[in-house]
Amino acid sequence: MNSENRYKTPDRYLYPLHMVRPRFKNNIENVLFYMSKEISGFTGIIDNEVLDDLISNFPGNKESSKKTLANWRTEISALFGLMQYQDLYGLYASSIAKRLADKEDLIEFFKNFVMKIQFPNGMLKPHVNKDLIDNGVRFFPFKFIVDLLNLLNDADKQEAYITKDELTYVVFDDIRFTSGNLKVSNARDIILDNRKYNVTYDKHDFVKGKTKESKGDQTRTALDLLDYMELGNLLIRNSFKYFLNELERDFINYGYKECGRFDKFDSFYNTTYDVNDLNFSKNSWFDYVNDLDFNKSATNIGKFIRSKSTEKEITLNVNDMKSSQMSTKDIGDMGEAIIITHEKNKLKSLGLEHNSHLVQFIPTHLGAGYDIKSMDEMDNQIFIEVKTTLSNHPLTQSRISLTKNEWNAAYTNGENYYVYRLIITNESRRLLIMNNPVELVKQGKIKLAAPKGVELIFKPDLLREVDILS
């Protein structure tokens, strides 16, 4: 293939953007789920020793070196914002960590995460930010990608996608775009021309340390950002192509308006200053990324499920062996809606359809300590607390958080109290049931931790899986 069919960022404009990649990227959802639970259990300062202990207790980390623990510390706090400074006292559990621990909504987490990313930012070291500022970089990836995909869609709906190579070599590596000297429409035109003439993308021959970076290294930042947007259900991936998820248009529009509001670096452009003047950025950045309207970002379960299917009936896979069907119109924005349908169908299958009217949703503000009242096969009233976990990939389920009110209800209702864990991912919907957690504690099958409410810690096989009767 001759050089005319290759595209490389012009050397005079080459200025690659880099974002830290966590060591746990391949297991990121499980790590964030675990760490948010652990960090939120502390009401005081979380120092390095405490954080190292928490990290060491994550499966597979017992023999980790001090350097590995330090890297995890930095990534969990600086990159993902799970901790936040309070005045001059130190690091505490952030509102992001508390929200994730409480709602177990990793889709929401990644929505908010990608919305806040910008360059320069508080995740980077001061000297890196200084270099960005001195080179005029002021870049908001979320907004740029949304604009670019919208323009591509306007040109031709078949072209309304982006690849990691296109995002890397046309945009992320070209200072004309990251500094705002070229417009999004210029990126669209370059990409469409490259597609028209079947142009391939060529890696740069620059050296990092003592070795040349591979093409995979060079495209890593763009790929990570696209992956994070996919984890937030904002993009849908088809092979190597990423498309906007129109079902999430409400949040996309909201995030578009909200991103890029961190303006603490603005006064340093086109001025003389010292790198130490940028040391403020980390603390301010933690406050910025934790300033969120969760009412705008909470995941609508129906939209999440429908993002992977255009069918009127959705298959709910259980145990990788059985499946049942559920109409898309019956899927609401709460896991409780699915459980109510399940309970009514359970009673019908038991020949107790006359009790279906007794299946009721109990609003949280009533303080009952459970979400649903239902009946069992012996005509006994049962009380169900629903814990819904939302993620793109399966998570290790070994702990459940109960509020003090929920624990009191479990204690009062004994064998009539159930915890239903509904796990919803792109691939499957699983329902795991725990009955009478108080008795399980007495039997030594569950360990308790009670920083604010009650944390049930157990072996995953303690939960009994049942078919979702939808």
Side-chain angles (χ1 to χ4, degrees), residues 378-435:
M378 302 300 293
D379 262 359
N380 296 314
Q381 191 171 59
I382 61 173
F383 308 92
I384 302 168
E385 174 60 27
V386 181
K387 299 295 182 182
T388 304
T389 303
L390 297 167
S391 65
N392 274 270
H393 304 100
L395 301 176
T396 301
Q397 303 293 331
S398 61
R399 58 197 304 142
I400 291 174
S401 300
L402 298 180
T403 66
K404 291 180 180 178
N405 207 30
E406 290 162 358
W407 180 249
N408 288 337
Y411 191 87
T412 300
N413 294 295
E415 64 181 14
N416 293 325
Y417 190 90
Y418 291 79
V419 180
Y420 280 26
R421 164 145 273 168
L422 178 64
I423 304 169
I424 298 178
T425 71
N426 281 339
E427 294 83 21
S428 66
R429 332 292 172 218
R430 299 175 64 206
L431 179 57
L432 307 174
I433 292 179
M434 177 185 290
N435 178 220

Side-chain angles (χ1 to χ4, degrees), residues 193-220:
D193 279 348
N194 288 348
R195 291 177 186 173
K196 180 178 179 180
Y197 295 107
N198 296 316
V199 171
T200 60
Y201 291 89
D202 209 358
K203 70 183 183 69
H204 310 300
D205 294 323
F206 60 84
V207 175
K208 180 180 180 182
K210 295 183 179 180
T211 60
K212 286 187 177 181
E213 285 197 329
S214 67
K215 186 168 183 178
D217 291 329
Q218 292 179 24
T219 58
R220 192 174 69 180

Side-chain angles (χ1 to χ4, degrees), residues 235-271:
L235 295 179
I236 295 175
R237 179 168 58 88
N238 183 358
S239 186
F240 57 88
K241 299 176 180 179
Y242 293 81
F243 301 80
L244 271 182
N245 182 1
E246 291 298 333
L247 287 174
E248 293 287 358
R249 179 57 74 172
D250 286 347
F251 180 83
I252 289 170
N253 291 340
Y254 163 73
Y256 186 92
K257 295 176 182 178
E258 288 295 310
C259 74
R261 290 182 179 268
F262 188 74
D263 58 3
K264 304 299 184 183
F265 294 114
D266 289 359
S267 62
F268 294 97
Y269 287 84
N270 301 313
T271 63

Side-chain angles (χ1 to χ4, degrees), residues 82-185:
L82 294 187
M83 291 182 289
Q84 192 171 1
Y85 280 96
Q86 289 187 10
D87 299 323
L88 300 175
Y89 298 109
L91 286 166
Y92 293 75
S94 69
S95 58
I96 290 175
K98 293 173 183 176
R99 173 74 175 188
L100 180 54
D102 180 35
K103 298 300 182 182
E104 300 186 3
D105 185 349
L106 277 155
I107 312 303
E108 175 185 63
F109 174 89
F110 284 109
K111 281 181 188 173
N112 289 322
F113 175 65
V114 296
M115 175 182 70
K116 294 285 187 172
I117 293 173
Q118 62 186 72
F119 294 88
N121 59 65
M123 300 180 289
L124 300 171
K125 294 180 179 179
H127 75 274
V128 178
N129 281 327
K130 187 175 191 306
D131 197 51
L132 290 167
I133 293 168
D134 292 347
N135 280 280
V137 173
R138 191 177 293 174
F139 186 61
F140 313 109
F142 180 90
K143 183 174 289 189
F144 195 100
I145 291 171
V146 171
D147 277 338
L148 180 56
L149 289 172
N150 283 334
L151 286 178
L152 288 167
N153 182 69
D154 291 342
D156 185 339
K157 292 185 183 300
Q158 299 300 314
E159 303 288 348
Y161 65 87
I162 192 74
T163 70
K164 64 179 176 64
D165 283 355
E166 291 171 340
L167 195 58
T168 298
Y169 296 106
V170 177
V171 181
F172 277 30
D173 282 0
D174 194 325
I175 199 169
R176 292 175 296 176
F177 289 107
T178 57
S179 64
N181 289 326
L182 284 183
K183 298 179 180 179
V184 181
S185 58

